[in-house]
Amino acid sequence: FLYFLRLKRMEDLFDGDGGGVIGGCASIVGVCCLIICCIPVIILVGGIIAVAIVIGIFFNAVDYNQNALDYNTVTNKVDTKVYTPGLYFLGFSHEFIFYPRMTEISDFSLAGKTKTGLTLYLDISFEYNIPSTNIVSIYEKYGKKDYVSLFEKQVKQSTLDICAAYYAAEFFDKREQIAIAIEAKVRSDLADYYVNLTMFQLQYISLPYSFENAVLQLQIAQQTIKITELQQQLSAIESATNLLVSTITQQVAINLANARGMASAIISD
């Protein structure tokens, strides 16, 4: 039949390269045999494609570093079961909402103000994790929002709030104390987001060059004053020591003279 469709002239049934009607029939039989032979392959390929589509639609995977909740896109509700890494059959109109399972690291730079309004720049780094028992609470509070950006924003704000409570000079003298205060504030605020803070570092603090230079000059001056005071104390100690040595020497000389006088008197007697 396919051969007849390809014919352009009726005389091809009797003449031509196809060998007439007999040749045409032979070609038709060949095409039919080819189609019959290809049917299993077509069925196999179609089956593979169908299975792939079914897996893509009805199965969902959770990576090794994730936990997940089953979200129904029709009812807009989630199952309270927390899914750990693996491949799961969820069915049609279902998808996963993923949450990090491992400890995550976040770092960023930000600019803030001191207590007197002087601009300062900071680099901070922190590590956090999300307990699987808190995932449902996170969804109930934030839904499908990008909650990570929300609590990172809170970390930045907490850091700036603490910085605004200190004078610029204190960032030189009390850096460790300030870092501890920021960490405590961040830890407390992240608890409201159901996130555990595992590490916090205040890596870098920078103030305007003019101020840092003034502080440096002040520290040099203070160091010079301390050295001068130490030198004065040393001179005073040295003078007192010399005076004591002189007094003791004089007393020894007097005692020696007295002893000699008493010895001479005893010998005369």
Side-chain angles (χ1 to χ4, degrees), residues 57-76:
I57 295 176
F58 297 103
F59 285 84
N60 288 269
V62 180
D63 290 341
Y64 76 95
N65 60 345
Q66 295 176 323
N67 287 319
L69 294 178
D70 176 12
Y71 177 74
N72 189 316
T73 58
V74 175
T75 62
N76 295 325

Side-chain angles (χ1 to χ4, degrees), residues 20 23 68 77 87 97 106 121-122 134 145 166 179 208 212 218 222 244 248:
K77 294 182 179 180
L87 182 64
I97 301 175
S106 182
Y121 302 93
L122 307 98
N134 292 351
K145 294 180 181 178
Y166 289 87
E212 288 189 344
L218 176 61
Q222 291 175 340
L244 180 60
I248 292 174

Side-chain angles (χ1 to χ4, degrees), residues 27-45:
S27 298
I28 292 171
V29 172
V31 171
C32 291
C33 291
L34 179 61
I35 293 174
I36 292 172
C37 292
C38 290
I39 287 176
V41 177
I42 295 173
I43 294 175
L44 178 61
V45 173

Side-chain angles (χ1 to χ4, degrees), residues 27-234:
S27 298
I28 292 171
V29 172
V31 171
C32 291
C33 291
L34 179 61
I35 293 174
I36 292 172
C37 292
C38 290
I39 287 176
V41 177
I42 295 173
I43 294 175
L44 178 61
V45 173
I48 294 174
I49 294 174
V51 170
I53 293 174
V54 169
I55 291 176
I57 295 176
F58 297 103
F59 285 84
N60 288 269
V62 180
D63 290 341
Y64 76 95
N65 60 345
Q66 295 176 323
N67 287 319
L69 294 178
D70 176 12
Y71 177 74
N72 189 316
T73 58
V74 175
T75 62
N76 295 325
K77 294 182 179 180
V78 297
D79 186 356
T80 55
K81 175 185 175 181
V82 176
Y83 288 79
T84 54
L87 182 64
Y88 299 93
F89 178 83
L90 296 183
F92 183 71
S93 74
H94 286 256
E95 65 183 23
F96 276 136
I97 301 175
F98 298 103
Y99 298 86
R101 180 169 175 262
M102 314 295 285
T103 297
E104 299 291 316
I105 301 175
S106 182
D107 48 43
F108 42 79
S109 302
L110 63 159
K113 300 288 186 180
T114 65
K115 191 171 184 177
T116 56
L118 190 66
T119 301
L120 77 161
Y121 302 93
L122 307 98
D123 288 344
I124 65 175
S125 175
F126 65 97
E127 296 180 2
Y128 66 91
N129 61 47
I130 301 175
S132 59
T133 53
N134 292 351
I135 291 177
V136 175
S137 298
I138 291 175
Y139 176 81
E140 290 174 347
K141 186 172 182 178
Y142 302 106
K144 298 181 70 176
K145 294 180 181 178
D146 183 8
Y147 69 97
V148 173
S149 64
L150 292 178
F151 73 69
E152 284 185 344
K153 182 178 179 181
Q154 180 61 56
V155 170
K156 295 177 182 179
Q157 188 59 50
S158 301
T159 301
L160 296 180
D161 289 345
I162 295 299
C163 290
Y166 289 87
Y167 293 102
E170 293 178 306
F171 285 90
F172 292 90
D173 303 331
K174 302 179 180 179
R175 173 169 177 164
E176 184 176 353
Q177 177 182 331
I178 294 173
I180 293 174
I182 295 175
E183 180 178 354
K185 173 67 172 172
V186 169
R187 187 181 303 278
S188 174
D189 290 343
L190 285 186
D192 295 335
Y193 290 82
Y194 307 101
V195 175
N196 289 339
L197 180 70
T198 57
M199 186 276 293
F200 180 89
Q201 287 184 338
L202 180 58
Q203 296 180 322
Y204 177 75
I205 298 176
S206 177
L207 291 158
Y209 173 78
S210 57
F211 180 82
E212 288 189 344
N213 186 60
V215 171
L216 178 61
Q217 296 302 321
L218 176 61
Q219 290 177 338
I220 293 174
Q222 291 175 340
Q223 190 68 23
T224 301
I225 292 174
K226 288 182 179 179
I227 293 175
T228 302
E229 290 177 347
L230 289 174
Q231 289 176 340
Q232 291 175 348
Q233 293 175 2
L234 182 61

